[in-house]
Amino acid sequence: MLRRLLAIAGKEVRQLKRDRLTFGMIVGVPLLQILLFGYAIDLDVRNVSAAVADHANTSLSRQLVASTEASQVVRITRSAAGPEELEALLDAGEIDVGIYIPHDFERRVMDADRPAGQLLINGSDPTVESIARRLTQMPLPGRAQPPPLFEARTYYNPERRSPVNIVPALIGVILHLTMVLFTAIAIVRERERGNLELLITTPVTSSELMLGKIIPYVIIGLIQVTLILWVSQWLFDVPVRGHVLDLYLASAFFILAALALGLTVSTLAKTQFQAIQLTVFTFLPSILLSGFMFPFEGMPRVAQWIGEAIPLTHFVRLSRGILVRGAELGELHAEIWPMLVFFTVFMIVATLRFSKRLD
């Protein structure tokens, strides 16, 4: 019995040595996780994009702005004319925090009964909202600590309900997993079932086959979006402040990018099991570096560059912008073209790698 057990175990080891993809996953997945969690994931958010509207324009107000930026919680990127412009920048997604300093700032500093300024906070991202509230307790010379220095005003999700923040981004997570997985096994399934033999005898080109594979899944993906929206409104009362058509268009761009990635995976894998392994391998960096689970601003610069190349990062911003902030797709156009570039590149790679051969 022991000899038979050792023989089977030896056979499995030799099979793993021949299956380079599986062997690579054994080493690659732990390395990827330790790198992502140990290096790229940082819960201490810093350098949140902010704008300042300083109506006081005094030495004390400038000292406040300098102290705020020196805290490294926010990074001042814009100067606004007033609270109305700060709100517009929040709506467009250009900033996450607006700092309003009124003209009577110095008198307010000496008054212990009211805040000296106001913070306008993007509440669609719960991490940013909780971090930005630290600024309300900033010390200032000549100012009694209570009450807070700033009055915090949370936009888009003042009740701070978790589903409002999670569900819009969850749409992209679900689409990424299902779309990549469905198409990752598409070509592999054709080969395993012998259907590829029939395709070899047809005049269908590689590009026609690739496009023909993804068209049905675009429709399936949009049906999934509809189902998620319906359930989220029915069960969690998640608002839809923007145009639903804008969300469907944004979803279509993201679905195309995910399907192109899945097709590329299908040309790399030789079995459906390998296709599933590679799908999981692509899913890890997407969900961890997109800002869905962990704050994007807290990641090192290199990790942010990688995150910007991931379609899910841009769709999370689009879905939260449209559903939670009520932004229009035209205001968020900068998040669309990276997904189109991603789709084009991976469709070209998948088409070039695909060969109508059985081996």
CSV table of all heavy atoms in Angstrom, one decimal, residues 53-56 60-61 64 99-119 135-136 138 140 142-152:
chain,number,residue,atom,x,y,z
A,53,ALA,N,-10.6,77.4,-0.6
A,53,ALA,CA,-11.2,78.7,-0.9
A,53,ALA,C,-11.0,79.6,0.3
A,53,ALA,O,-11.7,79.5,1.3
A,53,ALA,CB,-12.7,78.6,-1.2
A,54,ASP,N,-10.0,80.4,0.2
A,54,ASP,CA,-9.6,81.3,1.3
A,54,ASP,C,-10.1,82.7,1.1
A,54,ASP,O,-9.5,83.5,0.4
A,54,ASP,CB,-8.0,81.3,1.4
A,54,ASP,CG,-7.5,82.0,2.7
A,54,ASP,OD1,-8.4,82.5,3.4
A,54,ASP,OD2,-6.3,82.1,2.8
A,55,HIS,N,-11.2,83.0,1.8
A,55,HIS,CA,-11.8,84.3,1.7
A,55,HIS,C,-11.2,85.3,2.7
A,55,HIS,O,-11.3,86.5,2.5
A,55,HIS,CB,-13.3,84.3,1.9
A,55,HIS,CG,-14.0,83.7,0.7
A,55,HIS,ND1,-15.4,83.7,0.6
A,55,HIS,CD2,-13.6,83.3,-0.5
A,55,HIS,CE1,-15.8,83.2,-0.6
A,55,HIS,NE2,-14.7,82.9,-1.3
A,56,ALA,N,-10.5,84.8,3.7
A,56,ALA,CA,-9.9,85.6,4.7
A,56,ALA,C,-8.6,86.2,4.2
A,56,ALA,O,-8.3,87.4,4.3
A,56,ALA,CB,-9.7,84.9,6.0
A,60,LEU,N,-2.9,84.2,9.4
A,60,LEU,CA,-3.4,83.1,10.1
A,60,LEU,C,-4.1,82.1,9.2
A,60,LEU,O,-3.9,80.9,9.4
A,60,LEU,CB,-4.4,83.6,11.2
A,60,LEU,CG,-4.9,82.6,12.2
A,60,LEU,CD1,-3.6,82.0,13.0
A,60,LEU,CD2,-5.9,83.1,13.2
A,61,SER,N,-4.9,82.5,8.2
A,61,SER,CA,-5.5,81.6,7.3
A,61,SER,C,-4.5,80.9,6.5
A,61,SER,O,-4.6,79.7,6.2
A,61,SER,CB,-6.5,82.3,6.4
A,61,SER,OG,-5.9,83.2,5.5
A,64,LEU,N,-3.0,78.3,8.5
A,64,LEU,CA,-3.9,77.1,8.6
A,64,LEU,C,-3.7,76.2,7.3
A,64,LEU,O,-3.6,75.0,7.4
A,64,LEU,CB,-5.3,77.6,8.7
A,64,LEU,CG,-6.4,76.5,8.6
A,64,LEU,CD1,-6.2,75.5,9.8
A,64,LEU,CD2,-7.8,77.1,8.6
A,99,ILE,N,-11.8,72.9,1.3
A,99,ILE,CA,-11.5,73.6,2.6
A,99,ILE,C,-12.0,75.1,2.4
A,99,ILE,O,-11.5,75.8,1.5
A,99,ILE,CB,-10.0,73.6,2.9
A,99,ILE,CG1,-9.6,72.2,3.1
A,99,ILE,CG2,-9.8,74.4,4.2
A,99,ILE,CD1,-8.1,72.1,3.3
A,100,TYR,N,-13.0,75.5,3.1
A,100,TYR,CA,-13.6,76.8,3.0
A,100,TYR,C,-13.2,77.6,4.2
A,100,TYR,O,-13.5,77.2,5.3
A,100,TYR,CB,-15.1,76.8,2.8
A,100,TYR,CG,-15.7,78.1,2.8
A,100,TYR,CD1,-15.3,79.1,1.9
A,100,TYR,CD2,-16.7,78.4,3.8
A,100,TYR,CE1,-15.9,80.4,2.0
A,100,TYR,CE2,-17.3,79.7,3.8
A,100,TYR,CZ,-16.9,80.7,2.9
A,100,TYR,OH,-17.5,81.9,2.9
A,101,ILE,N,-12.5,78.7,4.0
A,101,ILE,CA,-12.1,79.6,5.1
A,101,ILE,C,-12.9,81.0,4.9
A,101,ILE,O,-12.6,81.7,3.9
A,101,ILE,CB,-10.6,79.9,5.1
A,101,ILE,CG1,-9.9,78.6,5.2
A,101,ILE,CG2,-10.2,80.8,6.2
A,101,ILE,CD1,-8.4,78.7,5.1
A,102,PRO,N,-13.8,81.3,5.7
A,102,PRO,CA,-14.7,82.5,5.5
A,102,PRO,C,-13.9,83.8,5.8
A,102,PRO,O,-12.8,83.8,6.4
A,102,PRO,CB,-15.8,82.3,6.6
A,102,PRO,CG,-15.2,81.5,7.6
A,102,PRO,CD,-14.3,80.5,6.9
A,103,HIS,N,-14.4,84.9,5.4
A,103,HIS,CA,-13.7,86.2,5.5
A,103,HIS,C,-13.5,86.6,7.0
A,103,HIS,O,-12.6,87.3,7.3
A,103,HIS,CB,-14.5,87.3,4.8
A,103,HIS,CG,-15.9,87.5,5.3
A,103,HIS,ND1,-16.2,88.4,6.3
A,103,HIS,CD2,-17.1,87.0,4.9
A,103,HIS,CE1,-17.5,88.3,6.6
A,103,HIS,NE2,-18.1,87.5,5.8
A,104,ASP,N,-14.4,86.1,7.9
A,104,ASP,CA,-14.3,86.5,9.3
A,104,ASP,C,-13.6,85.4,10.1
A,104,ASP,O,-13.9,85.1,11.2
A,104,ASP,CB,-15.6,86.8,9.9
A,104,ASP,CG,-16.6,85.6,9.8
A,104,ASP,OD1,-16.3,84.7,9.0
A,104,ASP,OD2,-17.6,85.6,10.5
A,105,PHE,N,-12.6,84.7,9.4
A,105,PHE,CA,-11.9,83.6,10.0
A,105,PHE,C,-11.3,83.9,11.3
A,105,PHE,O,-11.4,83.2,12.3
A,105,PHE,CB,-10.9,83.1,9.0
A,105,PHE,CG,-10.0,82.0,9.5
A,105,PHE,CD1,-10.5,80.7,9.8
A,105,PHE,CD2,-8.7,82.3,9.8
A,105,PHE,CE1,-9.6,79.7,10.3
A,105,PHE,CE2,-7.8,81.3,10.3
A,105,PHE,CZ,-8.3,80.0,10.5
A,106,GLU,N,-10.5,85.0,11.4
A,106,GLU,CA,-9.8,85.3,12.6
A,106,GLU,C,-10.7,85.6,13.8
A,106,GLU,O,-10.5,85.2,14.9
A,106,GLU,CB,-8.9,86.5,12.4
A,106,GLU,CG,-7.8,86.2,11.4
A,106,GLU,CD,-6.6,87.2,11.6
A,106,GLU,OE1,-6.5,87.8,12.6
A,106,GLU,OE2,-5.8,87.2,10.7
A,107,ARG,N,-11.9,86.2,13.5
A,107,ARG,CA,-12.8,86.4,14.6
A,107,ARG,C,-13.4,85.1,15.1
A,107,ARG,O,-13.7,84.9,16.3
A,107,ARG,CB,-13.9,87.3,14.1
A,107,ARG,CG,-14.9,87.8,15.3
A,107,ARG,CD,-15.9,88.8,14.7
A,107,ARG,NE,-16.7,88.2,13.7
A,107,ARG,CZ,-17.6,88.9,13.0
A,107,ARG,NH1,-17.8,90.2,13.2
A,107,ARG,NH2,-18.3,88.3,12.0
A,108,ARG,N,-13.7,84.2,14.1
A,108,ARG,CA,-14.2,82.9,14.5
A,108,ARG,C,-13.2,82.0,15.3
A,108,ARG,O,-13.6,81.3,16.1
A,108,ARG,CB,-14.5,82.1,13.2
A,108,ARG,CG,-15.8,82.6,12.5
A,108,ARG,CD,-15.9,81.9,11.1
A,108,ARG,NE,-17.2,82.2,10.5
A,108,ARG,CZ,-18.2,81.4,10.5
A,108,ARG,NH1,-18.2,80.2,11.1
A,108,ARG,NH2,-19.3,81.8,9.9
A,109,VAL,N,-11.9,82.2,15.0
A,109,VAL,CA,-10.9,81.5,15.8
A,109,VAL,C,-10.9,81.9,17.2
A,109,VAL,O,-10.7,81.0,18.1
A,109,VAL,CB,-9.5,81.8,15.2
A,109,VAL,CG1,-8.4,81.4,16.1
A,109,VAL,CG2,-9.3,81.2,13.8
A,110,MET,N,-11.2,83.1,17.5
A,110,MET,CA,-11.3,83.6,18.9
A,110,MET,C,-12.7,83.2,19.6
A,110,MET,O,-12.8,83.3,20.8
A,110,MET,CB,-11.1,85.1,19.0
A,110,MET,CG,-9.8,85.5,18.5
A,110,MET,SD,-8.4,84.7,19.3
A,110,MET,CE,-7.0,85.3,18.3
A,111,ASP,N,-13.6,82.8,18.8
A,111,ASP,CA,-14.9,82.5,19.3
A,111,ASP,C,-15.0,81.0,19.5
A,111,ASP,O,-14.9,80.2,18.6
A,111,ASP,CB,-16.0,82.9,18.2
A,111,ASP,CG,-17.4,82.8,18.8
A,111,ASP,OD1,-17.6,82.2,19.9
A,111,ASP,OD2,-18.4,83.2,18.1
A,112,ALA,N,-15.2,80.6,20.8
A,112,ALA,CA,-15.2,79.2,21.1
A,112,ALA,C,-16.5,78.5,20.9
A,112,ALA,O,-16.7,77.3,21.1
A,112,ALA,CB,-14.8,79.1,22.6
A,113,ASP,N,-17.5,79.3,20.3
A,113,ASP,CA,-18.8,78.7,20.2
A,113,ASP,C,-19.1,78.2,18.8
A,113,ASP,O,-20.2,77.6,18.6
A,113,ASP,CB,-19.9,79.8,20.6
A,113,ASP,CG,-19.8,80.1,22.0
A,113,ASP,OD1,-19.4,79.3,22.8
A,113,ASP,OD2,-20.1,81.3,22.4
A,114,ARG,N,-18.2,78.4,17.9
A,114,ARG,CA,-18.5,78.0,16.5
A,114,ARG,C,-17.2,77.6,15.8
A,114,ARG,O,-16.2,78.1,16.1
A,114,ARG,CB,-19.3,79.0,15.7
A,114,ARG,CG,-18.5,80.4,15.7
A,114,ARG,CD,-19.3,81.4,14.8
A,114,ARG,NE,-18.7,82.7,14.8
A,114,ARG,CZ,-19.0,83.7,14.0
A,114,ARG,NH1,-20.0,83.5,13.2
A,114,ARG,NH2,-18.4,84.8,14.1
A,115,PRO,N,-17.3,76.7,14.8
A,115,PRO,CA,-16.2,76.3,14.0
A,115,PRO,C,-15.6,77.5,13.2
A,115,PRO,O,-16.4,78.4,12.8
A,115,PRO,CB,-16.7,75.2,13.0
A,115,PRO,CG,-17.9,74.8,13.7
A,115,PRO,CD,-18.5,75.9,14.4
A,116,ALA,N,-14.3,77.5,12.9
A,116,ALA,CA,-13.7,78.6,12.2
A,116,ALA,C,-13.8,78.5,10.7
A,116,ALA,O,-13.7,79.4,10.0
A,116,ALA,CB,-12.2,78.7,12.6
A,117,GLY,N,-13.9,77.3,10.2
A,117,GLY,CA,-14.0,77.0,8.8
A,117,GLY,C,-14.9,75.8,8.5
A,117,GLY,O,-15.6,75.3,9.4
A,118,GLN,N,-14.9,75.4,7.2
A,118,GLN,CA,-15.8,74.3,6.8
A,118,GLN,C,-15.0,73.3,5.9
A,118,GLN,O,-14.3,73.8,5.0
A,118,GLN,CB,-17.0,74.8,6.1
A,118,GLN,CG,-18.1,73.7,5.9
A,118,GLN,CD,-19.3,74.3,5.2
A,118,GLN,OE1,-19.3,74.9,4.1
A,118,GLN,NE2,-20.5,74.2,5.9
A,119,LEU,N,-15.3,72.0,6.1
A,119,LEU,CA,-14.7,71.0,5.3
A,119,LEU,C,-15.9,70.4,4.5
A,119,LEU,O,-16.9,70.0,5.0
A,119,LEU,CB,-14.1,69.9,6.1
A,119,LEU,CG,-12.7,70.1,6.8
A,119,LEU,CD1,-12.3,68.9,7.5
A,119,LEU,CD2,-11.7,70.6,5.8
A,135,LEU,N,-9.0,66.4,10.1
A,135,LEU,CA,-8.6,67.8,10.0
A,135,LEU,C,-9.4,68.7,10.9
A,135,LEU,O,-9.1,69.8,11.2
A,135,LEU,CB,-8.8,68.2,8.6
A,135,LEU,CG,-7.9,67.5,7.5
A,135,LEU,CD1,-8.2,68.0,6.1
A,135,LEU,CD2,-6.5,67.7,7.8
A,136,THR,N,-10.6,68.2,11.4
A,136,THR,CA,-11.5,69.0,12.2
A,136,THR,C,-10.8,69.3,13.6
A,136,THR,O,-11.2,70.2,14.3
A,136,THR,CB,-12.8,68.3,12.4
A,136,THR,OG1,-12.7,67.1,13.1
A,136,THR,CG2,-13.5,68.1,11.1
A,138,MET,N,-7.5,69.8,14.1
A,138,MET,CA,-6.2,70.3,13.9
A,138,MET,C,-6.0,71.5,14.9
A,138,MET,O,-6.9,72.3,15.1
A,138,MET,CB,-6.0,70.9,12.5
A,138,MET,CG,-5.7,69.8,11.5
A,138,MET,SD,-5.2,70.6,10.0
A,138,MET,CE,-3.8,71.6,10.5
A,140,LEU,N,-4.5,75.0,16.4
A,140,LEU,CA,-4.1,76.3,15.8
A,140,LEU,C,-3.8,77.3,17.0
A,140,LEU,O,-4.6,77.3,17.9
A,140,LEU,CB,-5.3,76.9,15.0
A,140,LEU,CG,-5.0,78.1,14.1
A,140,LEU,CD1,-4.0,77.6,13.0
A,140,LEU,CD2,-6.2,78.6,13.4
A,142,GLY,N,-3.8,80.1,19.6
A,142,GLY,CA,-4.8,81.1,20.0
A,142,GLY,C,-6.2,80.5,19.9
A,142,GLY,O,-7.2,81.2,20.1
A,143,ARG,N,-6.3,79.2,19.6
A,143,ARG,CA,-7.7,78.6,19.4
A,143,ARG,C,-7.9,77.6,20.5
A,143,ARG,O,-7.1,76.7,20.7
A,143,ARG,CB,-7.7,78.0,18.0
A,143,ARG,CG,-8.9,77.0,17.9
A,143,ARG,CD,-10.2,77.8,17.6
A,143,ARG,NE,-11.3,76.9,17.5
A,143,ARG,CZ,-12.5,77.2,17.0
A,143,ARG,NH1,-12.7,78.4,16.6
A,143,ARG,NH2,-13.5,76.4,17.0
A,144,ALA,N,-9.0,77.7,21.2
A,144,ALA,CA,-9.4,76.7,22.2
A,144,ALA,C,-9.7,75.4,21.4
A,144,ALA,O,-10.3,75.5,20.3
A,144,ALA,CB,-10.5,77.1,23.0
A,145,GLN,N,-9.4,74.3,21.9
A,145,GLN,CA,-9.6,73.0,21.2
A,145,GLN,C,-11.1,72.7,20.9
A,145,GLN,O,-11.5,72.5,19.8
A,145,GLN,CB,-9.0,71.9,21.9
A,145,GLN,CG,-7.5,71.8,21.8
A,145,GLN,CD,-7.1,71.7,20.3
A,145,GLN,OE1,-7.6,70.9,19.5
A,145,GLN,NE2,-6.2,72.6,19.9
A,146,PRO,N,-12.0,72.7,21.9
A,146,PRO,CA,-13.4,72.6,21.6
A,146,PRO,C,-14.0,73.9,21.3
A,146,PRO,O,-13.7,74.9,22.0
A,146,PRO,CB,-14.0,71.9,22.9
A,146,PRO,CG,-13.1,72.5,24.0
A,146,PRO,CD,-11.7,72.7,23.4
A,147,PRO,N,-14.9,74.0,20.3
A,147,PRO,CA,-15.3,73.0,19.4
A,147,PRO,C,-14.3,72.7,18.3
A,147,PRO,O,-13.3,73.4,18.3
A,147,PRO,CB,-16.6,73.6,18.8
A,147,PRO,CG,-16.4,75.1,18.8
A,147,PRO,CD,-15.5,75.3,20.0
A,148,PRO,N,-14.6,71.8,17.4
A,148,PRO,CA,-13.6,71.5,16.3
A,148,PRO,C,-13.3,72.7,15.5
A,148,PRO,O,-14.1,73.6,15.4
A,148,PRO,CB,-14.4,70.4,15.5
A,148,PRO,CG,-15.3,69.8,16.4
A,148,PRO,CD,-15.8,70.9,17.4
A,149,LEU,N,-12.1,72.7,14.9
A,149,LEU,CA,-11.6,73.8,14.1
A,149,LEU,C,-12.5,74.0,12.9
A,149,LEU,O,-12.9,75.1,12.5
A,149,LEU,CB,-10.2,73.6,13.7
A,149,LEU,CG,-9.6,74.7,12.8
A,149,LEU,CD1,-9.6,76.1,13.6
A,149,LEU,CD2,-8.1,74.3,12.4
A,150,PHE,N,-12.8,72.9,12.3
A,150,PHE,CA,-13.7,72.9,11.0
A,150,PHE,C,-15.0,72.2,11.3
A,150,PHE,O,-15.1,71.3,12.1
A,150,PHE,CB,-13.0,72.1,9.9
A,150,PHE,CG,-11.8,72.7,9.3
A,150,PHE,CD1,-10.5,72.3,9.6
A,150,PHE,CD2,-11.9,73.8,8.5
A,150,PHE,CE1,-9.4,72.9,9.0
A,150,PHE,CE2,-10.8,74.4,7.9
A,150,PHE,CZ,-9.6,73.9,8.2
A,151,GLU,N,-16.0,72.7,10.6
A,151,GLU,CA,-17.3,72.0,10.6
A,151,GLU,C,-17.3,71.1,9.3
A,151,GLU,O,-17.0,71.5,8.2
A,151,GLU,CB,-18.4,73.0,10.4
A,151,GLU,CG,-19.8,72.4,10.2
A,151,GLU,CD,-20.8,73.4,9.7
A,151,GLU,OE1,-20.5,74.5,9.4
A,151,GLU,OE2,-22.0,73.0,9.6
A,152,ALA,N,-17.4,69.8,9.6
A,152,ALA,CA,-17.4,68.8,8.5
A,152,ALA,C,-18.8,68.7,7.9
A,152,ALA,O,-19.7,68.4,8.6
A,152,ALA,CB,-16.9,67.5,9.0
